[in-house]
Amino acid sequence: MSQANLEIRRISGHAGPAPGAGFKRESEVAKLIDTTTCIGCKACEVACLEWNGLSFSDTTFQNSYQTMPETAYNFWNLIKFNEYEPEGGSLMLLMRKDQCMHCEEPGCLIACPADGAIVQYANGIVDFQQDQCIGCGYCLSGCPFNIPKFSPTSHKVFKCTLCGDRVSQGLEPACIKACPTGCLHFGTKDEMKELGETRAKQLREQSGFKDAGVYDPSGVGGTHVLYVLHDATNPEAYGGLPKDPRVPWTVRLWKYPLKWLGNLAMIGGVIGLCVHYLRFGPKTVEEDIEVPKEGEQP
Amino acid sequence: MTNGYTDIKNTDMMLIMGGNPAENHPCGFKWAIEAKRVRNAKMIVVDPRFTRTAATADLFVQIRVASDIAFLGAMINYAIANDRLAKDYIVNYTNASFIVKEGFKLPEDGLYSGFDPAKNSYDKSTWNYEEGGNVTGQAVAAAAPAAAPAAAPKPAPAATPTAAKPAAGATPASPAAAPPPASLPPNVAYDLSLQHPRCVFQLLKQQFSRYTPEMVERVSGVPKDQFLKAADLFTSIRKGGDMKKVATIIYSVGWTQHTFGSQIIRTAAILQLLLGNVGRAGGGVNALRGHSNIQGATDMAGIFDNLPGYLKVPTPADADFAAYAKRITPTTAKPSEWDSFNYWGNTPKFAVSFLKAMYGDAATKENDWAFNYLPKVDRNYSWTELWDNMYRGTVKGVFAFGMNGVAIGPDSQKNIDALKKADWLVVGEIYPDETSEFWMSPGVTKDEMAKIQTTVYRLPCAGFAEKDGSMTNSSRMLQWKNVALPPPGQARLDQDILAQIFLKVRELYKKDGGKFPDPILNLTWAYTDPRHPALADLAKEYNGKALADLEDPKTKQQIKAGQQLPGFAWLKDDGTTACGNWIYCGSWTEAGSQTARRGTEDPSGLGIYPNWGWSWPANRRVLYNRASCDPAGKPWDPDRRQVWWSEAAQKWVGNDVPDFKVDSPPKDHMGPFIMTAEGVGRIFTPLALMADGPFPEHYEPIESPVKNPFHPQQSNSPVIKRLKTEADKYATTDGEFKVICTTYRLTEHYHYWTKNNPVNVQLIPEPFVEIPVELAAELGIQGGDKVKVTSARSHYLAKAFVTKRIKPMTIDGKKVYQIGIPIHQGYRGIAEDEGRNEKTLVNRLSPTVYDPNAYTPEFKGFLVKIEKA
């Protein structure tokens, strides 16, 4: 992965085209997470904490091996555990590494009103620029995976960066490097998709998981984090992975038609103002307006 | 491990039982995943809990804690009944054809022949082979179906006595010694047709004929059809007798921590021998050790009855070196037509070289190599006994380095009370731990504290990243590591502390004399800086060096006096070599530290990596690898060629270092198991090798909810010793304690010290008890509720983890619940110090009993009751 992959493709809240967009397009990166060989060891959690220098916080026991109920502003990579008993099948312990999915159509970016607070690089990484973040939290409602989290201390929003800093230097993300079983892979989206499909085929043919498949949801234009699932028809069992994630319609409505309507209304208002001025001239205060006397109710 | 971590990738079939490698050996477990991904290998996980290892398995079977022998024994029965056997391997490479002495009795009633109830031990003289030679075909008629062997079999016709001399050892070793132990007959009687009713194979068949799928269901709680599924899958690699495929068995402390732990491993070994899986890439019996360097600890004699390199310790009966050497050096015992290397026959060379390393010039032929300097071990000084001795006031002080004795248990409270009676305690640690603060453990009042007179010396030591040296991992591989950073503050290296204590003691002996100063004054201490011995110096010392110019008579290779030895084949019993640990000889040669090598090339593709680190013995990666070939010397599987006989070179060659006498041609029929006197794998372990029986037998743990369904009148192993102080309490079968409890580790923590590390604490912040959903419902317990677990000894407090991953079981018709508790918590740590967590140690619950062979306490499978706290 060369540095060229940090070429910006899209920018949040930015009017007009992204500078340099479409000029050069190198391969898109992706993580492949094979949940069927994940052992829930949490090495990825620790690698993420350490590489990104995240602060520790107190956790409490939640009747699970899971470190905390969901990702946090200072905990971007969380393995979700589920003791799952499929109907007519035997018990499974499903473990899925949860983090930002780096959507092709990022709901967070679409929802974000702050210019340059969220960018999508040409390699597919969706990255938050905290210095531009206004802390409005709209990205939270834009994300169908419940990933971005608001920091109560800095009033900014944080999430997995797909280790853009490492990737731009030709390294793999920290979680990938730490994984002991090799259930995590990193490469181009095409390679990862192919590797995932090969593994899914092996699971269908050799291990009796007839519904094994790759999770790359089309509702958000595909993601740059792919999963191999034993049962791709039931992603919800993996700690609530949405079956058909989409950018919420309210966000789309707000950011596209409504925004333009709003813009139109605003521009219309300005135009109306001008027309009014030209037609009627400046507004003057009429002389005969009674000034209320002291003590009287207006 | 007979094999190594990287070798697991070569397997076709894995049985993971008594271990949880995904959680406790995640880095090694990558090779199990690799085998699944690349070879479509199948994985069977048998465990009391559905673990994170089980999450990746092809088949998971829930078993009652401690019923492993019943399960594995039935697997053996299944393999024999369904002819899933490696026939050539069994006949040629194991003692299946050897004939056992008349009078040997199988334990249908729970007892082998020779039991002495007064001593709670066995007279093992019938646990031996018969003298005699080849009786093949002579006893076919006598091959009667299963019947009590003590009564049924008639003696085999006397074989042609090729060796008429009496068994070695029949003459007393020395007048002062106790009667010498019986030894193996040099000319063993054998029946290659395996039909003789007293041949090992027939006895094995009979022994495990009682281990039916129905009995597995009764004893282990595994439904019959599930057992059959597992047995069929595992033994499928030997369908039709085809030898190409290989299966491995992977285990850990889930097998060792029982009063019959060694016998569980024996059962696995027998199964692997029957299937012809030992010595082969992707096969073997593989112990995943519990620490990064626990293999190193045992290699270097971290147990009382060994010297480095598994030499046996001298006892008071060993009047001189000759008597000692005779006792510990096995004599060859084999079928007369076969050959046996009997590598332990070289024991005197290892022992003399060890004494030369210890005492240098003070060890001479004239003074018996200073043999009298070595302590003579007169009793059982194993872990549990040591603490018992301290509790009873006979052990007065302890050095506790690199371990947390109070937390380890068993019966932590007894250990705390033992320390209260000690005169002194020295703790070398990196954190304040439960042991060094036993005197302020929860429940100790101010008044009591004032009465404790133990002097505690707490020495800040160095952590693993602050020391160099090598660690020996489960693959028997020594890997040198460098110092990452110096110890902080006043912390010192462990070796510096020990060296300075030794030098001070020696100074006192020099000044004041003493009863027997010689071993102290004459100990070799030739380190560059005696007060700060470099671990590199020690590594060179245990590798060994030549003390005189040596020459190999065959190759004419020469080694000058003072040079490092290239391997243990050079060791001599004439005082011309010194070697601190013979199995490590070759790890630090004239070419430097072999353990620091980091070559990543793997020309064979078998995961051998011959230039990475150094594994004992002789950088060999798979033990007994001659057995990877058929009797003619050709690999069983041409795609996984480890070693083979080269007709052209007239020697054994290969990708791995041959574990064999390299110039012994296949026609000589030398056995591949060169470390046994017989040269073959032991399905039957003769004489005193095992304290509790030459075959495994299912016994109940010391605390069990049921009487042994095989023989209720002999429920436990008859040789188990129950300790006798008022602290040693054991629950009975029908008492108030009905729930089976087992203990284990989590992937998020390491023993008792990561509770001092914020990241680990964040990952698993609090102690918990895993409880089946059904039991929780019965007791009205919800996830997160505080619960109290009580055993006959003490209690433990934690939160309830209500889980579907442990199901209720039916054992011998009785509904039985199992619960599980991770070991990692205590009364010192981040959350403990902040008052957020309960301050209890799980080993307050565990009983003070142990395996009679390896002395490992029974941390798995004791009885408790559980209630809402």
Side-chain angles (χ1 to χ4, degrees):
Chain A
M1 305 304 134
S2 72
Q3 273 174 296
N5 277 329
L6 288 189
E7 171 203 344
I8 290 167
R9 189 198 299 168
R10 270 202 272 196
I11 301 177
S12 63
H14 186 77
F23 173 66
K24 200 159 69 178
R25 195 176 166 85
E26 288 206 1
S27 48
E28 296 180 17
V29 298
K31 255 192 243 187
L32 175 68
I33 300 171
D34 180 3
T35 61
T36 68
T37 52
C38 173
I39 54 171
C41 72
K42 305 188 186 174
C44 53
E45 292 187 5
V46 175
C48 179
L49 284 177
E50 301 212 324
W51 177 260
N52 294 298
L54 300 177
S55 57
F56 304 126
S57 47
D58 287 343
T59 50
T60 52
F61 172 71
Q62 305 272 351
N63 204 56
S64 169
Y65 291 143
Q66 197 170 311
T67 305
M68 54 184 72
E70 54 183 45
T71 57
Y73 73 93
N74 57 352
F75 206 87
W76 304 341
N77 176 127
L78 174 72
I79 299 184
K80 291 202 159 178
F81 290 76
N82 185 21
E83 296 177 4
Y84 177 61
E85 265 175 326
E87 246 175 77
S90 48
L91 177 72
M92 298 171 85
L93 177 58
L94 301 178
M95 293 168 285
R96 178 180 64 88
K97 174 180 174 317
D98 192 27
Q99 79 275 274
C100 174
M101 300 293 286
H102 299 273
C103 306
E104 191 63 23
E105 286 289 317
C108 56
L109 187 147
I110 293 165
C112 177
D115 192 349
I118 303 178
V119 297
Q120 184 181 39
Y121 300 121
N123 63 10
I125 294 180
V126 178
D127 198 14
F128 283 21
Q129 308 291 317
Q130 276 78 21
D131 52 346
Q132 307 289 327
C133 174
I134 56 171
C136 68
Y138 287 8
C139 52
L140 275 63
S141 51
C143 175
F145 297 99
N146 183 29
I147 289 299
K149 296 284 153 48
F150 188 77
S151 161
T153 48
S154 69
H155 303 288
K156 310 269 185 191
V157 179
F158 295 84
K159 68 153 191 76
C160 157
T161 66
L162 220 151
C163 284
D165 48 354
R166 293 176 58 91
V167 171
S168 66
Q169 299 301 316
L171 299 172
E172 73 282 67
C175 55
I176 311 284
K177 187 174 170 69
C179 178
T181 64
C183 84
L184 302 183
H185 302 263
F186 182 70
T188 67
K189 171 106 189 222
D190 292 343
E191 284 166 4
M192 294 301 102
K193 188 108 189 188
E194 198 189 324
L195 191 61
E197 291 295 352
T198 309
R199 173 66 182 151
K201 184 165 176 270
Q202 187 184 26
L203 288 164
R204 288 192 296 270
E205 290 172 1
Q206 300 289 337
S207 303
F209 293 109
K210 60 181 177 29
D211 293 317
V214 176
Y215 182 85
D216 181 21
S218 58
V220 288
T223 51
H224 291 270
V225 173
L226 310 174
Y227 290 108
V228 175
L229 305 176
H230 315 78
D231 181 1
T233 66
N234 188 15
E236 285 95 341
Y238 296 79
L241 193 60
K243 191 161 188 168
D244 184 18
R246 288 176 186 281
V247 180
W249 66 269
T250 44
V251 169
R252 284 193 183 272
L253 197 66
W254 177 68
K255 282 302 292 250
Y256 297 115
L258 280 186
K259 187 173 172 186
W260 289 110
L261 269 179
N263 289 355
L264 213 63
M266 193 183 78
I267 294 164
V270 172
I271 291 169
L273 216 71
C274 296
V275 169
H276 184 271
Y277 180 83
L278 291 172
R279 171 73 180 77
F280 301 103
K283 191 174 178 173
T284 52
V285 179
E286 288 185 28
E287 301 282 322
D288 59 344
I289 286 178
E290 257 181 67
V291 177
K293 288 195 181 82
E294 213 170 310
E296 272 185 358
Q297 290 293 323
Chain B
M1 296 171 88
T2 56
N3 295 40
Y5 282 120
T6 50
D7 174 74
I8 298 172
K9 74 166 189 163
N10 296 313
T11 198
D12 299 301
M13 179 70 62
M14 292 166 263
L15 174 62
I16 301 179
M17 192 169 168
N20 182 7
E23 298 192 46
N24 297 315
H25 309 85
C27 292
F29 192 65
K30 74 157 66 93
W31 303 104
I33 296 285
E34 183 89 352
K36 273 173 76 77
R37 222 167 14 207
V38 178
R39 301 186 65 89
N40 283 313
K42 295 286 175 247
M43 185 194 289
I44 305 168
V45 172
V46 181
D47 202 283
R49 298 179 302 135
F50 190 103
T51 61
R52 282 177 257 195
T53 306
T56 63
D58 294 278
L59 179 64
F60 169 72
V61 176
Q62 184 182 308
I63 188 173
R64 174 178 53 119
V65 180
S67 66
D68 307 66
I69 291 178
F71 187 91
L72 291 166
M75 211 70 125
I76 290 173
N77 187 13
Y78 182 92
I80 295 174
N82 292 279
D83 209 20
R84 301 260 173 100
L85 299 170
K87 289 201 189 68
D88 284 351
Y89 188 108
I90 295 170
V91 171
N92 292 293
Y93 300 164
T94 76
N95 64 4
S97 67
F98 292 19
I99 291 163
V100 172
K101 261 191 165 179
E102 208 178 348
F104 170 72
K105 175 183 122 11
L106 290 170
E108 267 110 351
D109 58 354
L111 297 171
Y112 288 93
S113 45
F115 186 68
D116 179 351
K119 290 187 194 153
N120 267 14
S121 68
Y122 282 104
D123 165 8
K124 293 153 192 147
S125 53
T126 58
W127 304 6
N128 200 350
Y129 308 125
E130 195 159 274
E131 174 89 29
N134 193 351
V135 298
T136 305
Q138 294 179 29
V140 178
K154 52 183 182 182
T160 41
T162 48
K165 62 181 174 180
T171 46
S174 79
S183 57
L184 301 174
N187 177 34
V188 173
Y190 64 101
D191 172 9
L192 294 176
S193 70
L194 307 184
Q195 294 301 314
H196 191 287
R198 269 188 293 114
C199 81
V200 166
F201 183 77
Q202 290 299 329
L203 290 175
L204 176 84
K205 189 171 164 185
Q206 194 180 342
Q207 164 72 352
F208 289 113
S209 64
R210 294 175 291 137
Y211 290 62
T212 58
E214 290 74 19
M215 280 308 275
V216 174
E217 185 158 336
R218 270 179 75 189
V219 176
S220 308
V222 177
K224 192 180 149 185
D225 58 327
Q226 240 194 83
F227 164 75
L228 289 170
K229 203 171 158 187
D232 174 54
L233 183 59
F234 186 71
T235 60
S236 66
I237 52 125
R238 217 44 87 228
K239 228 178 212 167
D242 183 54
M243 286 297 289
K244 207 163 156 24
K245 288 190 171 178
V246 190
T248 180
I249 294 184
I250 295 169
Y251 74 95
S252 188
V253 297
W255 272 2
T256 58
Q257 293 175 346
H258 295 284
T259 44
F260 36 79
S262 306
Q263 292 286 12
I264 303 179
I265 298 152
R266 285 268 310 129
T267 324
I270 293 169
L271 180 59
Q272 287 295 67
L273 287 172
L274 291 177
L275 294 171
N277 284 327
V278 183
R280 299 189 57 187
V285 180
N286 294 301
L288 308 186
R289 312 298 310 257
H291 303 249
S292 50
N293 197 19
I294 204 80
Q295 184 66 50
T298 37
D299 296 346
M300 292 303 298
I303 185 164
F304 79 96
D305 59 351
N306 279 343
L307 294 174
Y310 303 96
L311 298 174
K312 292 184 179 69
V313 286
T315 69
D318 300 319
D320 53 23
F321 182 76
Y324 167 67
K326 189 174 172 61
R327 180 176 66 84
I328 68 166
T329 308
T331 51
T332 305
K334 61 179 181 62
S336 50
E337 287 82 358
W338 294 0
D339 205 354
S340 168
F341 204 6
N342 185 21
Y343 207 78
W344 276 115
N346 294 305
T347 299
K349 299 175 189 169
F350 312 150
V352 171
S353 299
F354 169 72
L355 287 164
K356 288 298 288 180
M358 288 288 284
Y359 305 115
D361 292 342
T364 62
K365 191 170 171 43
E366 291 66 41
N367 77 352
D368 232 5
W369 312 113
F371 173 71
N372 64 333
Y373 290 3
L374 287 179
K376 309 295 180 290
V377 173
D378 60 339
R379 72 187 91 139
N380 181 340
Y381 286 104
S382 67
W383 176 259
T384 313
E385 293 283 347
L386 259 176
W387 289 93
D388 188 65
N389 285 351
M390 201 193 308
Y391 186 88
R392 287 188 288 103
T394 53
V395 167
K396 298 289 186 191
V398 203
F399 276 89
F401 277 59
M403 58 92 172
N404 187 341
V406 159
I408 293 169
D411 195 347
S412 295
Q413 192 57 50
K414 182 180 173 184
N415 293 2
I416 289 169
D417 292 338
L419 283 171
K420 290 176 188 168
K421 299 175 185 180
D423 292 345
W424 51 266
L425 165 68
V426 183
V427 179
E429 259 300 335
I430 59 173
Y431 292 114
D433 71 343
E434 283 73 15
T435 300
S436 63
E437 299 195 354
F438 73 94
W439 46 275
M440 51 185 284
S441 57
V444 179
T445 62
K446 281 259 158 66
D447 288 346
E448 274 179 274
M449 238 182 255
K451 285 186 204 133
I452 299 170
Q453 292 302 309
T454 320
T455 309
V456 180
Y457 302 88
R458 203 148 78 176
L459 309 178
C461 275
F464 65 89
E466 295 154 3
K467 290 179 268 208
D468 62 356
S470 77
M471 301 214 249
T472 309
N473 72 8
S474 308
S475 312
R476 296 166 280 106
M477 184 183 282
L478 287 76
Q479 296 177 95
W480 194 264
K481 65 184 167 67
N482 299 317
V483 176
L485 70 175
Q490 293 183 309
R492 293 197 205 178
L493 298 173
D494 304 51
Q495 65 266 31
D496 289 2
I497 295 173
L498 294 172
Q500 286 157 39
I501 291 172
F502 168 73
L503 292 171
K504 189 77 197 169
V505 168
R506 186 154 77 176
E507 200 183 300
L508 290 170
Y509 267 104
K510 248 184 210 156
K511 195 159 65 100
D512 303 340
K515 271 191 190 157
F516 188 31
D518 304 22
I520 308 291
L521 299 181
N522 290 322
L523 189 75
T524 306
W525 203 262
Y527 308 116
T528 314
D529 180 350
R531 286 174 56 79
H532 305 277
L535 294 182
D537 282 356
L538 282 130
K540 284 181 203 161
E541 185 179 31
Y542 61 59
N543 176 86
K545 63 179 180 186
L547 300 174
D549 293 352
L550 305 174
E551 185 179 273
D552 184 314
K554 269 192 207 152
T555 63
K556 304 291 171 206
Q557 189 191 345
Q558 290 188 339
I559 296 175
K560 296 276 164 231
Q563 286 188 330
Q564 291 293 108
L565 293 170
F568 48 70
W570 286 89
L571 296 176
K572 302 273 188 287
D573 58 4
D574 60 3
T576 54
T577 54
C579 173
N581 184 346
W582 75 274
I583 60 173
Y584 282 3
C585 189
S587 63
W588 196 304
T589 64
E590 281 298 304
S593 170
Q594 301 302 293
T595 65
R597 301 182 309 155
R598 290 296 180 268
T600 52
E601 57 279 10
D602 182 27
S604 66
L606 290 173
I608 291 172
Y609 302 103
N611 299 319
W612 181 285
W614 186 91
S615 57
W616 68 260
N619 204 29
R620 200 167 272 144
R621 299 303 155 104
V622 175
L623 295 180
Y624 320 121
N625 56 27
R626 191 263 174 257
S628 69
C629 292
D630 63 16
K634 288 194 193 63
W636 294 112
D637 177 7
D639 297 332
R640 281 170 283 195
R641 286 155 59 88
Q642 300 160 256
V643 298
W644 56 90
W645 173 253
S646 162
E647 271 303 326
Q650 283 296 301
K651 62 176 189 176
W652 289 86
V653 294
N655 294 311
D656 199 355
V657 179
D659 191 6
F660 207 53
K661 188 166 185 290
V662 286
D663 58 355
S664 172
K667 67 173 170 50
D668 285 0
H669 205 294
M670 177 181 277
F673 293 85
I674 61 169
M675 301 311 285
T676 65
E678 303 94 313
V680 293
R682 286 174 180 142
I683 288 172
F684 175 92
T685 41
L687 294 177
L689 289 164
M690 301 293 282
D692 46 359
F695 286 126
E697 171 72 357
H698 168 77
Y699 292 108
E700 290 296 326
I702 225 67
E703 296 187 345
S704 174
V706 294
K707 287 279 178 203
N708 192 328
F710 285 98
H711 26 70
Q713 77 290 354
Q714 187 58 59
S715 199
N716 309 123
S717 168
V719 299
I720 301 308
K721 180 178 165 192
R722 288 168 172 79
L723 297 182
K724 297 276 190 298
T725 76
E726 68 277 12
D728 302 295
K729 300 182 198 110
Y730 309 107
T732 54
T733 296
D734 294 312
E736 57 175 322
F737 305 106
K738 296 186 189 315
V739 174
I740 300 173
C741 181
T742 188
T743 61
Y744 44 86
R745 306 180 201 172
L746 297 169
T747 193
E748 289 85 351
H749 280 282
Y750 185 75
H751 275 245
Y752 307 97
W753 56 274
T754 50
K755 60 187 188 299
N756 295 293
N757 182 14
V759 188
N760 301 82
V761 173
Q762 187 176 7
L763 299 182
I764 291 282
E766 296 180 70
F768 58 74
V769 181
E770 292 193 73
I771 303 168
V773 172
E774 295 80 0
L775 175 60
E778 258 178 43
L779 300 172
I781 293 171
Q782 309 253 310
D785 284 355
K786 195 165 139 186
V787 290
K788 181 180 179 187
V789 180
T790 313
S791 78
R793 291 149 296 275
S794 190
H795 69 271
Y796 182 72
L797 290 163
K799 283 185 175 173
F801 183 170
V802 179
T803 178
K804 297 179 204 164
R805 293 177 298 100
I806 313 176
K807 307 276 186 212
M809 305 199 88
T810 305
I811 307 298
D812 205 12
K814 203 168 160 181
K815 187 173 184 184
V816 170
Y817 287 114
Q818 308 190 93
I819 64 166
I821 314 182
I823 61 170
H824 304 291
Q825 315 293 337
Y827 45 83
R828 281 309 305 268
I830 294 172
E832 289 79 3
D833 293 355
E834 287 173 2
R836 283 191 278 134
N837 285 0
E838 293 297 340
K839 297 183 179 184
T840 48
L841 285 162
V842 70
N843 276 320
R844 289 162 61 110
L845 301 175
S846 50
T848 50
V849 284
Y850 54 85
D851 178 273
N853 300 293
Y855 318 111
T856 308
E858 194 158 64
F859 293 117
K860 313 280 193 233
F862 47 86
L863 292 179
V864 296
K865 65 178 175 187
I866 177 163
E867 61 207 309
K868 218 165 157 170

